Amino acid sequence: MNQGPTRREFLSSVAAFAFFPLEQEKPELILHNANIWTVNAAEPRAQAVAIARGRFLAVGSNSDVMNLASASVRKIDLGGKTVVPGFIDAHSHPSDAGRLHLRMVDCDLRSIQAILGALRERAAKTAPGEWVLGFKYDDTKTEEGRPLSLTDLDAAVSDHPVHIQHRGGHTAYANSLAFRKAGIDEKTPDPSGGQISHDPATGRLSGRVAESANDYFEKVIPMQFTRDDCREGVKLISKMLARTGITSATEAQGTPIDLRAYQDAHDAGELLYRAYCFINYHYLDQMLDAGVKTGLGDEWVRVGAVKLVCDGSISERTARLSVPYEGRPNDYGILVMTEDELYSHGRKAHLAGWQIGTHANGDVGIDTTLRVYERLQRESPRKDPRFRLEHCTVVNDELIGRIRALGAIPTPFSTYVYYHGEKMRYYGADRLNHMFALRSFIDAGIRPTQASDYPPGPFEPMMALQSEVTRTDTKGNVWGPKQRITIEEAMRVGTLHGAYASYEENLKGSIQAGKLADLVVLGRDPLRENPSTLITIPIERTMAGGRWTFEA
């Protein structure tokens, strides 16, 4: 039965029936008999859309939109299904993740023994002496209740160097042969902004390194990907994202290689989401020499912000905090870059017209980053720089006031409360009411986004909605209930706010005439769903630019 709005629910014929500016345009496709949630304040609900040349031509009632149809127009009756705008993941690492899926062992397993078994299996298929690599390992997800150790990895694989990335991306675990190849022994000092962990009882290497200490390994691991590998990685991750309703994603730590991979995948017809590609600050001079800056590109592949990193990780408990982690009285986390370094790189980007996105998780990291942004605007004011705070996890009222004053954009983790609930105890109940602070941001007039940070966090938008609305993890524990938001607010965060974060709010993020035809057909209506079961709502179809990118 169609549960969409009646004609009486439309405020006016203008609001109900908006046209694409080209009056002579004829529809190529009409979707009708739907319950359309537009995320457009001027026309919140509709029943039908007409699509032409990859954009919405008209949005309105069944009868009005169907009046545009000629005999040759393709029509799809959605049978009352709920339609929402395509979801926008405003911070993730899809291109890199795609390559990792092609090459590495997926260590998202629930026991250390299962992980070691997977590593042994890969080692058996790997030429003698070559590296065995893994990713998506999570020290809190295994049944043994302890992290991987150097002893574990040596016992599993001794004749290959082994290196396993933590799911959070800020720590790694290696075996003895890998440490030797990286030139690390028990006397190697911690590098600036990094940590080489030791067994507190013996002083021997534990197998874990954090932050910049992983640079030792990156210098010796032969991670060579061909141009075709990079395109294949984008192709693979495109299919994964499309199945969940994602039509746009920010590549949050991109390189010129990622930019080319996106272009190659698009040219081959394999790019199924719109990519806003950040550029790591190491490549800024290269970009400046080529005359490249934020905004270059088209509706499928666009250059995003320059990326800086201030502090550590939330899931790996290395974010820089003003108050120590619970149960760890001397542990405040890690600052990866100094304020002077952030300012030096940020100033170069700011003066060249780039948007800046800085990884800042803890309240100390956020405070440091805001001081840099405030100084840049004070010294060299720019209209609408849209400074971004990537993650922006642990906040307080003073920080929120400064974020609002700057017009900065926070991109808090969307699925972390639900998926990473077992880690929340390290932050304490009071601090959790100031983490992933969507309620506080929205109440202050700030536009936060939906962001997975995949691989660190799952990217499924329906998991994000449930996490944001309930603040409940997989076991039913509630973490930081004061930051709950409504389902309507969560939908806006996951669509229109994401478009704003990339200067594209007039191009996408809502279903309205003239915008890109990006949408998702859901199996059930989130507004009629128990918030605790939002994650179970199936994605039936995903459309980007008028083309189905996924059909169940």
Side-chain angles (χ1 to χ4, degrees):
M1 177 179 177
N2 179 16
Q3 296 176 339
T6 65
R7 286 178 63 95
R8 289 192 301 274
E9 292 178 274
F10 293 105
L11 299 178
S12 68
S13 60
V14 175
F17 193 47
F19 279 100
F20 190 39
L22 298 178
E23 294 181 2
Q24 302 304 312
E25 194 75 47
K26 300 297 182 185
E28 300 164 358
L29 170 67
I30 289 177
L31 307 178
H32 62 101
N33 193 23
N35 172 34
I36 302 174
W37 185 357
T38 67
V39 193
N40 172 16
E43 182 192 2
R45 307 306 285 265
Q47 294 172 314
V49 295
I51 296 167
R53 290 192 299 148
R55 295 191 180 229
F56 295 116
L57 175 66
V59 180
S61 68
N62 284 323
S63 57
D64 283 342
V65 174
M66 290 296 284
N67 281 338
L68 298 174
S70 63
S72 62
V73 173
R74 192 157 56 99
K75 309 173 193 69
I76 298 177
D77 185 337
L78 291 179
K81 294 289 186 182
T82 295
V83 175
V84 298
F87 289 101
I88 298 174
D89 189 337
H91 182 116
S92 61
H93 304 274
S95 176
D96 183 54
R99 292 192 296 271
L100 298 184
H101 276 288
L102 287 176
R103 189 70 56 87
M104 293 188 178
V105 176
D106 188 336
C107 295
D108 184 18
L109 301 169
R110 293 299 167 261
S111 74
I112 288 175
Q113 289 309 309
I115 293 169
L116 299 180
L119 296 174
R120 288 191 196 96
E121 184 178 342
R122 178 61 60 90
K125 302 174 183 176
T126 302
E130 291 190 3
W131 288 78
V132 173
L133 305 171
F135 79 123
K136 286 174 66 178
Y137 164 66
D138 190 325
D139 61 301
T140 68
K141 299 290 187 188
T142 53
E143 62 189 25
E144 290 87 351
R146 63 172 180 84
L148 273 170
S149 70
L150 183 141
T151 303
D152 292 326
L153 295 173
D154 282 350
V157 181
S158 60
D159 54 349
H160 297 267
V162 175
H163 181 269
I164 310 298
Q165 294 180 15
H166 192 282
R167 181 161 195 157
H170 291 250
T171 57
Y173 297 76
N175 70 353
S176 293
L177 183 54
F179 273 99
R180 289 198 294 273
K181 286 185 174 291
I184 300 174
D185 61 26
E186 291 166 2
K187 297 179 181 179
T188 304
D190 288 343
S192 175
Q195 183 182 71
I196 300 168
S197 298
H198 297 77
D199 185 317
T202 66
R204 295 175 181 170
L205 295 172
S206 72
R208 175 185 180 273
V209 296
E211 304 298 349
S212 64
N214 201 45
D215 294 348
Y216 287 106
F217 293 96
E218 291 183 359
K219 290 175 182 176
V220 297
I221 294 175
M223 286 293 287
Q224 298 299 318
F225 291 97
T226 66
R227 184 170 178 173
D228 196 52
D229 288 337
C230 296
R231 179 193 56 77
E232 280 291 328
V234 171
K235 176 183 177 181
L236 173 62
I237 202 72
S238 278
K239 293 178 180 178
M240 294 170 66
L241 297 183
R243 292 180 65 87
T244 71
I246 293 173
T247 56
S248 292
T250 291
E251 182 70 44
Q253 189 70 287
T255 69
I257 290 173
D258 294 305
L259 203 53
R260 187 179 68 184
Y262 281 123
Q263 293 167 339
D264 287 347
H266 179 50
D267 290 345
E270 297 166 347
L271 180 61
L272 304 181
Y273 62 92
R274 306 182 190 281
Y276 189 62
C277 190
F278 276 27
I279 300 295
N280 180 284
Y281 73 95
H282 287 109
Y283 302 93
L284 180 57
D285 287 340
Q286 187 178 335
M287 294 291 105
L288 295 179
D289 289 344
V292 175
K293 67 177 181 179
T294 300
L296 180 67
D298 61 18
E299 62 197 36
W300 282 101
V301 182
R302 197 180 302 278
V303 175
V306 68
K307 173 67 178 295
L308 305 175
V309 179
C310 182
D311 70 341
S313 159
I314 287 297
S315 68
E316 294 154 283
R317 286 82 69 201
T318 59
R320 183 66 168 170
L321 304 173
S322 60
V323 177
Y325 288 86
E326 293 287 308
R328 292 154 61 174
N330 298 314
D331 187 355
Y332 293 84
I334 298 172
L335 280 175
V336 177
M337 295 176 74
T338 67
E339 186 171 338
D340 287 343
E341 288 173 324
L342 290 171
Y343 172 76
S344 176
H345 296 300
R347 182 175 184 275
K348 183 184 294 186
H350 185 70
L351 292 178
W354 281 74
Q355 186 184 31
I356 304 171
T358 303
H359 170 116
N361 257 314
D363 54 343
V364 173
I366 296 165
D367 173 56
T368 303
T369 301
L370 288 175
R371 280 202 301 273
V372 171
Y373 288 166
E374 289 159 348
R375 181 178 174 187
L376 292 174
Q377 274 297 80
R378 186 170 62 249
E379 294 175 348
S380 305
R382 261 180 55 197
K383 183 180 179 182
D384 198 20
R386 298 198 194 182
F387 294 120
R388 291 179 49 145
L389 294 156
E390 305 306 313
H391 311 316
C392 194
T393 302
V394 182
V395 296
N396 54 47
D397 291 345
E398 189 263 346
L399 293 176
I400 289 171
R402 290 164 63 194
I403 293 168
R404 180 182 60 230
L406 269 173
I409 300 166
T411 65
F413 298 105
S414 298
T415 57
Y416 263 38
V417 172
Y418 179 84
Y419 186 78
H420 286 300
E422 73 282 349
K423 302 172 183 66
M424 296 301 106
R425 61 187 173 86
Y426 291 101
Y427 295 94
D430 181 65
R431 190 156 43 193
L432 278 158
N433 273 321
H434 298 88
M435 292 174 62
F436 322 114
L438 293 179
R439 175 79 278 142
S440 295
F441 291 141
I442 291 170
D443 288 349
I446 296 165
R447 288 182 260 203
T449 68
Q450 187 179 107
S452 71
D453 199 32
Y454 186 79
F459 52 70
E460 290 81 358
M462 301 314 295
M463 182 191 295
L465 295 183
Q466 181 165 320
S467 189
E468 292 163 350
V469 171
T470 68
R471 298 285 294 205
T472 302
D473 68 16
T474 57
K475 296 179 180 178
N477 301 307
V478 178
W479 304 100
K482 291 184 179 179
Q483 292 300 336
R484 287 172 173 150
I485 60 174
T486 68
I487 183 63
E488 293 90 345
E489 289 168 330
M491 185 64 70
R492 192 173 186 86
V493 164
T495 55
L496 200 54
H497 285 192
Y500 179 81
S502 59
Y503 292 94
E504 295 174 296
E505 68 272 20
N506 294 320
L507 191 64
K508 61 188 182 184
S510 58
I511 297 174
Q512 58 190 104
K515 286 194 172 185
L516 298 167
D518 299 351
L519 58 79
V520 184
V521 181
L522 302 176
R524 302 193 300 275
D525 185 350
L527 285 172
R528 297 171 181 263
E529 190 81 9
N530 184 320
S532 65
T533 60
L534 285 167
I535 194 173
T536 68
I537 296 178
I539 306 297
E540 297 198 347
R541 300 188 190 196
T542 304
M543 173 183 284
R547 171 171 72 121
W548 296 117
T549 57
F550 169 72
E551 295 183 80

